[in-house]
């Protein structure tokens, strides 16, 4: 069994996964409420909270897996990218556990974890495939020919898609995180009410700062009362602009690469319009689509333990000097 640990942002996560890709447990202690009042993640608060939670979360993951440390053959941990203080808590815990038992430790690129999340469970995706990862911290399209690595085909030039949802929600006076709130409100609105900027066709990179500014101006031009009255239309139009950009680029990538398998991941993969549109696109393009369970889309340690199956374990005590990295060079 592989024990996975993930603390790159504001979720304290541990999981137990077998070499065959079976998820025995996948525990996430979310800090969402702790950061809600600040409208975003406060790095120093996140690190301290990880420190308080990590031992209990690991114990819980082992217990739910019906396992003990004796059953663990390898420890996997997110090395980056992420908040450096947050990463250090998970990495230190992983090193301590592995070193105490003389186990190997496998450092994992968080982004690669998202990309290979669909290889877990009873119906694993196999290369070659493309993966759209859209979360609060990252948005990119990757190509996978070999599960050890991915190649980035395009990504966001500014905000991540989830970040755009969160910032839009803040402009509309909805809570944090904003994605689910916009998703809900948009159901009652007209996605064509406001002509927010759409994706330029044929490109693989994303930019979400323009649509965010467009929303800000629309709200300002409408005035407080009118903006409040048309909130659902604003949310629906804004969501549609983000989702169409994601789907358009994914389509372009699929057509350019000529690949017949597609996966999506990241917290934004929970968005109901994105799910609908991407499934529709997959149908039109004759692709097979993998949409992992939501628990594998948002940050979690199962994807980290899962990715470690394709990584390079470092034998004890070689990893003691290993450092966390806020940024990893593109994992190609
Ligand atoms: O993957 P994740 O849990 O954390 C990061 O790695 O960032 O993604 C969180 C992001 C947040 O920005 C949140 O607003 C967004 O995913 N999100 C959604 C939905 N549910 C979560 N965005 C749009 N629609 C949703 N239903
Ligand atoms: Zn993530």
């Amino acid at each position: 069994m592989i024990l996975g640990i993930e603390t790159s942002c504001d979720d304290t996560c541990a999981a137990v996964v077998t070499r065959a890709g079976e998820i025995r447990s996948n525990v996430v202690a979310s800090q969402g409420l702790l950061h809600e009042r600040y409208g975003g993640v406060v790095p120093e608060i996140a690190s301290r909270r990880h420190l308080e939670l990590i031992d209990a979360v690991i114990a819980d993951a082992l217990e739910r897996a019906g396992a003990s440390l004796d059953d663990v053959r390898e420890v996997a941990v997110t090395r980056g990218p992420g908040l450096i203080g947050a990463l250090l808590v998970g990495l230190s815990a992983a090193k301590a556990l592995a070193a105490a038992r003389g186990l190997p430790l496998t450092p994992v690129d968080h982004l690669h974890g998202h990309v290979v999340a669909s290889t877990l469970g009873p119906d694993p995706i196999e290369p070659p495939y493309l993966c759209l990862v859209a979360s609060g911290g990252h948005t990119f399209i990757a190509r996978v020919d070999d599960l050890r690595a991915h190649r980035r085909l395009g990504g966001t030039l500014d905000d991540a898609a989830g970040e755009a949802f969160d910032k839009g929600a803040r402009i509309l006076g909805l809570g944090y995180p904003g994605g689910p709130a916009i998703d809900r409100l948009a159901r009652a609105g007209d996605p064509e009410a406001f002509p927010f900027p759409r994706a330029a066709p044929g490109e693989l990179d994303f930019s979400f700062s323009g649509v965010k500014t467009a929303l800000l101006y629309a709200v300002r031009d409408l005035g407080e009362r009118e903006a409040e009255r048309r909130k659902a239309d604003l949310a629906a139009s804004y969501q549609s602009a983000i989702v169409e950009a994601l789907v358009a680029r994914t389509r372009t990538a699929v057509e350019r690469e000529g690949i017949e398998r597609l996966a999506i991941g990241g917290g934004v993969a929970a968005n109901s319009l994105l799910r609908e549109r991407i499934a529709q696109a997959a149908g039109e393009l004759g692709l097979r689509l993998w949409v992992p369970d939501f628990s594998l889309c948002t940050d979690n340690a199962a994807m980290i333990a899962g990715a470690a199956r394709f990584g390079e374990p470092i034998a004890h005590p070689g990893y003691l000097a290993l450092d966390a990295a806020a940024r990893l060079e593109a994992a190609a």
Side-chain angles (χ1 to χ4, degrees), residues 134-135 159-172 174-175 177-183 186 208 212 215 235 238-243 246 267-269 271-274:
S135 76
D159 292 346
E163 197 178 355
F165 271 106
D166 296 337
K167 288 179 177 172
R170 186 144 31 150
I171 293 169
L172 294 174
L174 305 167
I182 289 187
D183 196 346
F208 294 108
K212 180 191 66 193
L215 175 68
Y238 187 70
Q239 168 174 274
S240 165
I242 295 174
V243 166
L246 293 170
V268 179
N271 184 267
S272 42
L273 184 67
L274 177 62

Side-chain angles (χ1 to χ4, degrees), residues 110 114 135 138 299:
H110 176 85
H114 279 298
S135 76
H138 16 265
D299 285 350

Side-chain angles (χ1 to χ4, degrees), residues 173 222 225 265 275 282 285 305 328:
L222 286 169
R225 272 192 38 205
R275 283 178 176 242
L285 296 168
L328 293 178

